[in-house]
Amino acid sequence: MTEANPSEEQASDAADQKPRAPRHSVFLSATVEHFGGKKPTRHRVRDLSTGGVRIDQAAGFREGATVLVSVGALDAVGATVVWTRDSLAGLKFVEPIDPEAARAKAAVAPQPFRGQSRDLSVNAPTAGWVPNLNSPYRR
């Protein structure tokens, strides 16, 4: 009887699995709508890829449940709860998404206060870290 090499077994297991899409660590907020009359819930998105998302504050999620996820400019994308652990959950999108659309903000301009002009650049700060406060690329 011959013994199988453990590294060969691991290699064959890895070959059987489909490669995962690259994960991007993000700091986004998502709304998850549940079926069956439950109210929509808000969650922090920890990881994002074209095929799915990892969220926190996911107590009460159950594996196999179908939900609708809204994040950034993406509205009501169908997803299935694949795993839950502690207060985290992994959701797999029904169809691949564009991660850039998930990072985009809704294009709704705030209404100006009464008597305030639309052009807010007049009084905008020009020194220090304040001008970059809303930049998604700031550190």
Side-chain angles (χ1 to χ4, degrees), residues 11-34:
S12 66
D13 289 343
D16 294 340
Q17 293 179 353
K18 192 169 144 183
R20 291 178 15 164
R23 304 301 193 248
H24 304 280
S25 181
V26 294
F27 187 71
L28 299 170
S29 179
T31 302
V32 178
E33 298 177 56
H34 306 266

Side-chain angles (χ1 to χ4, degrees), residues 105-113 116-120:
K105 298 210 181 219
V108 178
Q111 297 297 319
F113 292 115
Q116 183 181 17
S117 72
R118 209 22 121 185
D119 184 20
L120 299 177

Side-chain angles (χ1 to χ4, degrees), residues 25-95:
S25 181
V26 294
F27 187 71
L28 299 170
S29 179
T31 302
V32 178
E33 298 177 56
H34 306 266
F35 292 96
K38 289 175 75 176
K39 291 183 179 182
T41 54
R42 304 269 306 160
H43 304 274
R44 180 178 179 263
V45 175
R46 291 184 169 256
D47 290 329
L48 176 70
S49 73
T50 58
V53 66
R54 178 173 58 139
I55 61 172
D56 64 1
Q57 302 167 343
F61 278 56
R62 67 180 214 292
E63 292 180 24
T66 302
V67 296
L68 296 174
V69 180
S70 297
V71 58
L74 298 176
D75 190 31
V77 177
T80 303
V81 179
V82 179
W83 58 266
T84 60
R85 185 173 36 246
D86 301 325
S87 65
L88 300 172
L91 310 177
K92 180 180 179 186
F93 297 127
V94 174
E95 295 180 2

